Amino acid sequence: PGVNFGNADHPPVDLVFCLFGGREKPWEHVSLLARLARIARAPGALERLRACSTAEELHPRLLEEDRSHG
């Protein structure tokens, strides 16, 4: 189930991405966030990601979505 972040006007959040980057490339996260945004806007992509039940299943699905929407 999703998590309500305190704003009743928005649906609960059920997908969260966290990025960690190194000091040598502090701007790289912006490119990764743009790729995630392209995936999120693609029809059916979020539903396919939500259908994954483990991290082991989610990772290859995310890579597949990235290849098909990149």
Side-chain angles (χ1 to χ4, degrees):
V3 175
N4 187 334
F5 280 102
N7 189 338
D9 294 334
H10 297 288
V13 175
D14 60 350
L15 284 175
V16 176
F17 293 93
C18 181
L19 301 175
F20 297 93
R23 290 183 184 180
E24 62 280 354
K25 295 183 181 179
W27 61 90
E28 193 172 60
H29 73 284
V30 175
S31 174
L32 293 172
L33 285 171
R35 289 168 70 177
L36 285 171
R38 278 194 299 276
I39 291 169
R41 286 192 310 263
L46 293 178
E47 289 75 17
R48 289 187 292 275
L49 294 175
R50 287 181 180 117
C52 298
S53 57
T54 65
E56 291 77 17
E57 190 179 342
L58 178 62
H59 184 250
R61 170 63 68 185
L62 185 57
L63 293 176
E64 182 180 321
E65 293 292 337
D66 183 41
R67 282 190 297 272
S68 65
H69 303 295

